Amino acid sequence: MKKSIKQFILSACTVTLMGGAHLASADINSDTETLLNWAENTYPDLFPSHQGTQSLNPWLYRFYPETGIYAGVNVGDNGAYVLGGPYGSNPVRVAGLPELIAQIIESGGNSSIPGCNTSGAPPGLSYTQSGNVVNISTGASCVALPTANNFCVTPQQPAETGISVLTTSTGNSPSFGGISAGSLGPNPLQSFADGFANSKHCTMHVPADTANLIINSNVCFDITAQSSGFAGVPGITITPPVTMSLNTTSTNVIVPDCFATDADTIYNTVTDESWINEEGVFTPLGTGGS
């Protein structure tokens, strides 16, 4: 651990000696993702799992519960900082974000996103990847419900690959906490939950090295807000927080044409466009992933 800390600080500080190094794009959000992914890939002892990036003005950051470390960027001064664990209770400035990005580019460092683009994932979802297997977990906590049931969106790609992949998710019946229908029969949220546990997504222009991903999800979501409409309904008892636990496995299969499948949604990784299946017709959703 101490060796990793020293190496991390030293490698970051070498940018001050890199005369003439070109600066990267001024897109602070994209550069933050690049930096934090590079740190995870380069220093797994410090940043052992792939975490989603959170925002709390003026910070863009990730928290690593295994080591108690926060790593992120202050958008006010465009600097990269670490906090917690061996770094103590005060933010420690590592270097400026542009200089760090320049170092990563110059060194040819691995700044690739793992199998999933997690920039839109809610805080608390933890991602790890080994080979073609991605594991997604919320640990012992229940986190905010994502806006989509595709937890592993393929990162946007710079060019067409010609590879389309249908991802099929299957899982056991979800379990609930904090809500009961009693003698009325099945849980009133069952159909809602089944949409998260069993679904199909098709992705256009997938990188060849991630076309055969297997994605295992063991997650718990807080759905108190989504269940509020059942409050006061005779026979239904709600004791917040209302939670939904899912255990699913998603597998990828290469297909000739996403629009010829029965996918629930389609995502184009080059144009960032998405479509939703409405009674057999794919309707555009615009850009921003699925």
Side-chain angles (χ1 to χ4, degrees):
M1 174 69 80
K2 291 183 178 179
K3 182 178 179 182
S4 294
I5 296 169
K6 183 178 180 181
Q7 288 177 336
F8 177 65
I9 296 294
L10 288 177
S11 67
C13 289
T14 59
V15 298
T16 60
L17 305 177
M18 293 174 58
H22 65 279
L23 298 183
S25 163
D27 184 344
I28 193 169
N29 291 285
S30 176
D31 286 351
T32 298
E33 291 297 302
T34 296
L35 172 64
L36 297 179
N37 288 325
W38 170 82
E40 289 176 356
N41 290 326
T42 308
Y43 302 101
D45 288 348
L46 299 175
F47 317 111
S49 59
H50 185 64
Q51 298 292 328
T53 303
Q54 304 179 45
S55 176
L56 180 64
N57 191 47
W59 298 98
L60 297 171
Y61 69 95
R62 295 180 186 175
F63 174 63
Y64 299 89
E66 302 94 336
T67 56
I69 296 174
Y70 292 84
V73 171
N74 186 310
V75 299
D77 66 9
N78 215 18
Y81 292 80
V82 286
L83 167 73
Y87 298 105
S89 58
N90 295 313
V92 177
R93 192 177 192 275
V94 178
L97 179 61
E99 291 85 0
L100 289 171
I101 295 299
Q103 179 193 359
I104 292 170
I105 294 173
E106 291 290 329
S107 66
N110 181 6
S111 61
S112 62
I113 297 175
C116 312
N117 175 6
T118 64
S119 60
L125 274 183
S126 175
Y127 293 74
T128 58
Q129 182 173 353
S130 177
N132 71 321
V133 178
V134 173
N135 292 304
I136 306 174
S137 174
T138 57
S141 302
C142 295
V143 305
L145 188 71
T147 56
N149 54 354
N150 184 3
F151 307 144
C152 185
V153 178
T154 303
Q156 195 169 0
Q157 300 298 307
E160 296 183 356
T161 67
I163 302 174
S164 294
V165 166
L166 180 66
T167 304
T168 302
S169 300
T170 58
N172 296 330
S173 180
S175 59
F176 297 90
I179 185 170
S180 172
S183 61
L184 294 180
N187 191 297
L189 292 172
Q190 190 66 50
S191 60
F192 165 79
D194 287 342
F196 274 82
N198 300 280
S199 60
K200 292 184 178 181
H201 304 278
C202 198
T203 307
M204 302 167 61
H205 306 303
V206 174
D209 57 354
T210 60
N212 64 337
L213 280 184
I214 298 173
I215 306 154
N216 299 313
S217 302
N218 189 353
V219 295
C220 179
F221 296 119
D222 187 323
I223 58 171
T224 304
Q226 289 77 16
S227 62
S228 60
F230 294 101
V233 175
I236 296 179
T237 302
I238 295 180
T239 309
V242 180
T243 61
M244 175 178 71
S245 297
L246 302 171
N247 196 325
T248 63
T249 296
S250 303
T251 55
N252 286 355
V253 175
I254 296 176
V255 295
D257 180 9
C258 280
F259 290 96
T261 69
D262 61 346
D264 300 308
T265 56
I266 295 175
Y267 175 55
N268 186 317
T269 66
V270 176
T271 65
D272 202 31
E273 294 175 288
S274 298
W275 295 261
I276 187 170
N277 190 335
E278 295 183 330
E279 298 182 355
V281 177
F282 288 102
T283 304
L285 287 175
T287 59
S290 60

